[in-house]
Amino acid sequence: MLLDKPEGKPDEKVAWGSDIAAQMLRRCGIRYLSLNPGASYRGLHDSLVNHLGNVSPSILLCLHEDHSVAIAHGYAKAAGEPMGCVLHSNVGLFHGMMGLFNAWCDRVPMVVLGATGPVDSEKRRPWIDWIHTSRDQGAYIRSIMKWDDQPTSPQALVESMTRANLATRSAPTAPVYICLDAGFQEQRLDKEPEWPDLARFKPPAPPRPSKEAIAQTLALVAQAQRPVVMFGRGSRQMEFWQPRIRLAERLGACVLTDLKQAAAFPSDHPAHYVPPFNVLGKPARELLCEADLIIALDWTDLGGALRQARNVGKVTAKIVAANLDQMLHTGANMEYQALPPVDVMMATTGDAAVAELVEALGPGNAKAPWKAKLPGKPRGGGDSGGMITMEQIASTLRAEFNDPGKVSFCTLGRGWPFDVWPIENGMTYLGKDGGGGLGSGPGLSVGAAVALHDQGRYAVSMLGDGDFCMGATAIWTAARHRIPLLVLVNNNRSYFNDELHQDTVARTRGRETKNRWIGLRLENPNPDIAKLAEAQGAVGIGPITKAAAVKPALEKGVAILKQGGVCVIDLHVDPPPERAVISALGHRETGY
Ligand SMILES: Cc1ncc(C[n+]2csc(CCOP(=O)(O)OP(=O)(O)O)c2C)c(N)n1
Ligand SMILES: [Mg+2]
């Protein structure tokens, strides 16, 4: 990676208000800071460069604040710890808000620094400092932050950043925001503040389930013939991976995992009943109806899953759930999802619940799952009539790596063939955007790639063409800072998701479904994805429109990735026929 080195020796004396904020970032272990510059934090910017020497943290420059936030978000997903980002007073914050919403919904840790024009009006420059000043910037985002503050003295800033660090890293994790007064940042200090001993401000281990809850669960387990474990949010670390497998095998359970969350369980394990999904398909719904015990561990939307199951039958299972998410629920947003009925509720993380349950179950033999894994889709011998398929991309890409276990998919497109490239470990797949905010994919990928580079892993991403075009300029940050990344664009030349919605509406109203493409197709002209990539300083390849051209393109892309470069490949992948003819409701259409 290329991180900029300032000229001369840093001025190590803590002499200005903003030096305190910079010091605290370093002391809290923040390694990178994504930003787009702004005068409201010119004091902090100077402290980062001329006081800290642009080391711990180092600046990653971004072309848009939405990318700054997405990069910090992607980093947290891959590293399991917070990155920082800085958002220029009000306007930068407004730009970054969608990314903040995604990060909030995804429950990632993140230290967000903002700034306001001088709170003391005597210190404001005419016009622009007044434009920069809002009464309460935190108010714009308070409903999507775990905590926020606007400290007004040196010692208050020290405490504020200590608290921010503690809050964002404590389960349930979520972003925190500190707004720095421009006037205070540029104030000369008469003395250094007192620094805290951060060893005394460490996040606590998550609470453990009560003995009663564990005993009640064991009683339900003893009676259960058909247990299902739903693994939702969890750590990327192997120390949490093995116990999940142990729990499923000890129970003889069938397992479900959620594509909205990162890898939680090996998708090729016999217990993993259907491939990871976004919405429950019929087999998963039926499985929940057949189950007599459901153990949902930090599952994002248990209430929604049960409602989907009730469309195909009755859910009669006893339900055990573990999560701490309720601690973040307020009346502001409904990302808390439908309220599920639960027989045994454990106020703990899914990973802590697994550890406790494995221990409580004690030694015993592994059992086969009570229901055999569904067979994968039959493959038609690989003849797609020259069209590019996801299966071809996955198998060709996999063959390019001697060590595919070291590849991490920062995001994955819909329809990824998990039988061709399964989830093998906790780092295989890093989940989705959290809040459904389009344009985040490129930034998430760049941020994840920073952490993956540090871990010696390969960062590969698959993005929709709409997502890529909206966030394409995030790729410049990867090129600028030499962050190795391979992006594959699953280009259907459309906001295809919405074609299905327009199809549904037209169908419901008895209107013409053939018009579903109008206002949605990204054609005539096609945005030139390879050129968009090249304009950011990456290598752009494509459009690749025929199956025969896929292998050479992927070969080149992987070679660039391995050399530490940034490459974007535009692959024209048409929706598979069975998908092209359905509406969002999932009804089949024969005449389209
Ligand atoms: C900021 C934002 N604007 C609009 C949407 C609505 N939206 C959801 S999916 C989608 C289409 C995405 O297109 P693409 O990335 O090409 O994926 P595809 O559906 O074609 O596979 C749109 C426009 C959104 N989620 N976020
Ligand atoms: Mg598309």
Side-chain angles (χ1 to χ4, degrees):
M1 269 176 70
L2 177 66
L3 303 167
D4 299 332
K5 241 177 115 67
E7 304 267 332
K9 256 179 72 79
D11 171 10
E12 283 174 2
K13 187 167 164 25
V14 179
W16 301 91
S18 57
D19 291 347
I20 300 173
Q23 277 289 335
M24 285 304 296
L25 288 169
R26 176 177 282 176
R27 287 162 193 257
C28 291
I30 301 295
R31 300 182 58 200
Y32 304 99
L33 211 52
S34 47
L35 58 81
N36 185 271
S40 63
Y41 71 86
R42 62 186 194 177
L44 175 67
H45 202 127
D46 172 73
S47 299
L48 295 167
V49 174
N50 287 320
H51 174 58
L52 295 188
N54 196 31
V55 175
S56 303
S58 303
I59 292 172
L60 301 177
L61 181 57
C62 304
L63 299 187
H64 194 300
E65 287 86 354
D66 209 14
H67 308 334
S68 310
V69 179
I71 287 172
H73 180 175
Y75 179 88
K77 284 158 90 70
E81 55 174 62
M83 199 179 118
C85 65
V86 197
L87 302 175
H88 175 42
S89 66
N90 51 23
V91 283
L93 179 66
F94 292 142
H95 256 189
M97 263 163 93
M98 189 202 77
L100 293 177
F101 180 71
N102 275 348
W104 164 254
C105 292
D106 211 20
R107 306 304 193 219
V108 290
M110 185 187 295
V111 176
V112 186
L113 292 180
T116 169
V119 170
D120 178 355
S121 61
E122 288 296 304
K123 290 187 181 159
R124 281 182 213 148
R125 294 173 293 150
W127 189 69
I128 188 66
D129 269 351
W130 292 74
I131 293 280
H132 285 161
T133 309
S134 300
R135 174 82 52 216
D136 178 8
Q137 280 198 65
Y140 295 131
I141 51 166
R142 194 156 293 133
S143 63
I144 52 171
M145 286 288 129
K146 188 171 178 185
W147 180 77
D148 77 281
D149 197 14
Q150 186 171 310
T152 53
S153 72
Q155 209 55 53
L157 176 58
V158 170
E159 176 168 328
S160 185
M161 292 190 69
T162 307
R163 192 189 299 271
N165 185 54
L166 185 59
T168 199
R169 290 175 189 265
S170 301
T173 59
V176 292
Y177 174 72
I178 295 182
C179 186
L180 302 168
D181 172 8
F184 169 63
Q185 288 178 60
E186 298 191 23
Q187 194 178 302
R188 192 187 272 281
L189 302 173
D190 350 313
K191 58 175 174 63
E192 256 195 56
E194 247 176 70
W195 303 110
D197 173 4
L198 286 165
R200 304 184 74 189
F201 297 94
K202 282 208 174 132
R208 292 281 160 165
S210 66
K211 283 198 179 107
E212 292 75 18
I214 292 289
Q216 287 164 0
T217 305
L218 289 191
L220 293 175
V221 164
Q223 283 163 19
Q225 306 291 315
R226 299 179 302 282
V228 172
V229 182
M230 302 169 77
F231 288 108
R233 290 191 178 99
S235 163
R236 310 272 54 69
Q237 305 296 322
M238 280 313 270
E239 64 179 285
F240 297 100
W241 186 258
Q242 290 302 342
R244 291 184 207 129
I245 298 171
R246 174 76 185 138
L247 178 66
E249 291 180 347
R250 187 74 177 71
L251 297 177
C254 292
V255 166
L256 300 176
T257 63
D258 185 348
L259 210 46
K260 292 189 281 304
Q261 301 303 335
F265 196 84
S267 63
D268 52 358
H269 189 284
H272 201 294
Y273 184 63
V274 285
F277 49 74
N278 207 0
V279 174
L280 278 77
K282 196 159 174 260
R285 295 175 193 210
E286 285 171 350
L287 186 77
L288 291 186
C289 293
E290 273 180 74
D292 55 6
L293 174 63
I294 296 172
I295 302 180
L297 301 167
D298 248 331
W299 191 265
T300 320
D301 181 17
L302 177 59
L306 297 174
R307 282 189 192 188
Q308 290 173 68
R310 283 202 296 269
N311 288 343
V312 300
K314 257 187 137 147
V315 180
T316 53
K318 292 285 183 193
I319 298 177
V320 176
N323 66 63
L324 289 175
D325 206 58
Q326 61 280 0
M327 290 170 69
L328 297 176
H329 298 171
T330 70
N333 308 294
M334 312 298 144
E335 90 283 338
Y336 47 64
Q337 308 292 334
L339 186 64
V342 170
D343 300 290
V344 181
M345 180 66 200
M346 300 184 191
T348 184
T349 60
D351 284 337
V354 169
E356 292 284 330
L357 286 172
V358 166
E359 197 188 319
L361 285 162
N365 291 336
K367 283 194 247 167
W370 55 273
K371 193 161 190 191
K373 186 183 181 71
L374 280 196
K377 261 201 300 184
R379 306 253 170 249
D383 182 15
S384 60
M387 307 291 281
I388 301 172
T389 63
M390 292 290 256
E391 286 76 11
Q392 186 200 3
I393 295 172
S395 61
T396 313
L397 184 69
R398 196 169 167 89
E400 291 300 323
F401 290 95
N402 301 327
D403 40 7
K406 281 176 92 177
V407 174
S408 284
F409 291 98
C410 310
T411 67
L412 273 176
R414 165 190 310 124
W416 182 256
F418 285 100
D419 51 344
V420 180
W421 194 317
I423 285 178
E424 290 154 287
N425 59 59
M427 293 301 295
T428 303
Y429 169 61
L430 301 178
K432 290 175 72 105
D433 52 34
L438 202 64
S440 56
L444 287 170
S445 307
V446 174
V450 173
L452 294 169
H453 173 68
D454 287 349
Q455 296 167 21
R457 300 185 61 83
Y458 298 119
V460 181
S461 204
M462 174 156 279
L463 307 175
D465 49 325
D467 190 25
F468 180 80
C469 289
M470 199 185 273
T473 53
I475 299 297
W476 180 83
T477 301
R480 170 67 183 78
H481 293 288
R482 314 284 191 273
I483 302 162
L485 172 63
L486 174 62
V487 174
L488 310 177
V489 178
N490 173 12
N491 186 357
N492 49 23
R493 284 87 67 213
S494 175
Y495 292 116
F496 185 72
N497 177 70
D498 292 82
E499 284 198 39
L500 302 183
H501 285 293
Q502 294 320 125
D503 188 295
T504 295
V505 174
R507 186 191 313 268
T508 307
R509 296 177 177 181
R511 293 179 179 168
E512 181 53 80
T513 57
K514 282 181 186 160
N515 294 328
R516 72 182 202 179
W517 63 274
I518 292 179
L520 296 175
R521 288 271 167 95
L522 289 159
E523 287 174 333
N524 194 25
N526 292 3
D528 191 328
I529 284 171
K531 278 197 185 142
L532 272 170
E534 290 197 338
Q536 314 310 315
V539 176
I541 301 177
I544 304 297
T545 59
K546 290 279 172 271
V550 169
K551 186 168 160 39
L554 290 179
E555 235 169 52
K556 186 171 168 196
V558 171
I560 292 168
L561 175 71
K562 287 184 176 172
Q563 287 154 19
V566 184
C567 180
V568 176
I569 309 180
D570 176 11
L571 296 150
H572 283 201
V573 187
D574 290 331
E578 71 274 15
R579 186 162 167 75
V581 296
I582 58 167
S583 75
L585 286 175
H587 297 149
R588 269 182 190 280
E589 160 104 6
T590 45
Y592 183 77

